[in-house]
């Protein structure tokens, strides 16, 4: 069984630092801290990652795609999932690190989009119950490493426990800060 961590594809605020301000003026309802993929570059990158994964995984066993609830991760995961003819399941525990300096002006309970909100926006978001846990309920400033360790332990528990009897390909879509993984394959 292999677990693949895939970083989200390009997002607009990493290319143009003014994107958030400009976009917020045109679309005040937008969650500027949670940008979608950069078009068309982000889409192309996500399709390239999906193509690489489709050639690398074992097509004879099921594939489970788990994703952070942040838009750039969801959109990347959905492109991968569609390429592999599966769905992407939202995992709240995979949300971005919640540092108060990054999100301090944002109401805490609105940082991560809910599964329901994402399901309204995307038809092929999976409906499986979260396997890795809930999103953090407090600012994480000093707790980030504890959460990373707990997530890694939970993923290993699933692979060695519940999923051992039914081998599968596991693809996890995250941001760079989370689990610090770049398209890395781990044999478990």
């Amino acid at each position: 069984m292999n677990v693949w961590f895939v970083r989200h594809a390009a997002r607009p605020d990493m290319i143009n630092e003014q994107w958030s301000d400009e976009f917020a003026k045109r679309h005040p309802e937008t969650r500027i801290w949670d940008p979608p993929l950069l078009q068309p570059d982000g889409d192309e990158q996500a399709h390239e990652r999906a193509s690489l994964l489709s050639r690398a995984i074992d097509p004879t066993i099921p594939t489970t795609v788990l994703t952070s609830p942040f838009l750039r991760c969801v959109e990347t995961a959905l492109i991968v999932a569609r390429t592999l003819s599966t769905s992407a399941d939202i995992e709240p525990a995979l949300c971005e690190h919640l540092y108060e300096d990054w999100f301090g002006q944002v109401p805490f309970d609105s940082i991560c989009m809910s599964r329901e909100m994402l399901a309204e926006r995307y038809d092929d978001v999976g409906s499986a119950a979260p396997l890795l846990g809930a999103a953090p309920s407090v600012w994480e400033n000093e707790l980030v490493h504890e959460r990373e360790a707990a997530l890694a332990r939970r993923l290993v528990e699933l692979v060695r426990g519940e999923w051992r009897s039914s081998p599968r390909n596991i693809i996890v879509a995250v941001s760079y800060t989370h689990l610090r993984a770049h398209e890395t394959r781990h044999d478990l």
Side-chain angles (χ1 to χ4, degrees), residues 71-149:
L71 284 180
R72 57 195 176 269
C73 298
V74 171
E75 290 180 353
T76 301
L78 287 171
I79 289 170
V80 169
R82 289 172 189 145
T83 300
L84 302 174
S85 301
T86 190
S87 61
D89 293 320
I90 307 302
E91 282 294 335
L94 292 173
C95 77
E96 186 78 61
H97 290 156
L98 299 183
Y99 292 119
E100 193 167 9
D101 347 355
W102 292 358
F103 298 106
Q105 303 301 314
V106 178
F108 192 87
D109 60 353
S110 67
I111 291 173
C112 293
M113 289 182 84
S114 70
R115 173 175 294 165
E116 295 74 26
M117 291 170 69
L118 290 164
E120 284 177 22
R121 189 175 192 149
Y122 305 102
D123 293 342
D124 46 357
V125 166
S127 59
L131 299 168
L132 301 176
S137 57
V138 296
W139 293 118
E140 296 186 288
N141 304 327
E142 291 85 34
L143 304 173
V144 166
H145 299 295
E146 291 174 29
R147 179 161 70 105
E148 285 180 356

Side-chain angles (χ1 to χ4, degrees), residues 20-89:
S20 296
D21 295 333
E22 294 167 9
F23 199 78
K25 287 176 190 168
R26 292 191 312 263
H27 305 281
E29 78 288 355
T30 298
R31 305 158 45 83
I32 57 171
W33 65 90
D34 188 13
L37 293 179
L38 175 66
Q39 299 302 328
D41 296 350
D43 255 12
E44 288 173 18
Q45 285 180 354
H47 282 285
E48 286 170 12
R49 291 172 185 168
S51 177
L52 286 170
L53 284 165
S54 71
R55 291 189 306 270
I57 65 170
D58 179 350
T60 65
I61 60 175
T63 297
T64 297
V65 178
L66 307 174
T67 182
S68 160
F70 276 76
L71 284 180
R72 57 195 176 269
C73 298
V74 171
E75 290 180 353
T76 301
L78 287 171
I79 289 170
V80 169
R82 289 172 189 145
T83 300
L84 302 174
S85 301
T86 190
S87 61
D89 293 320

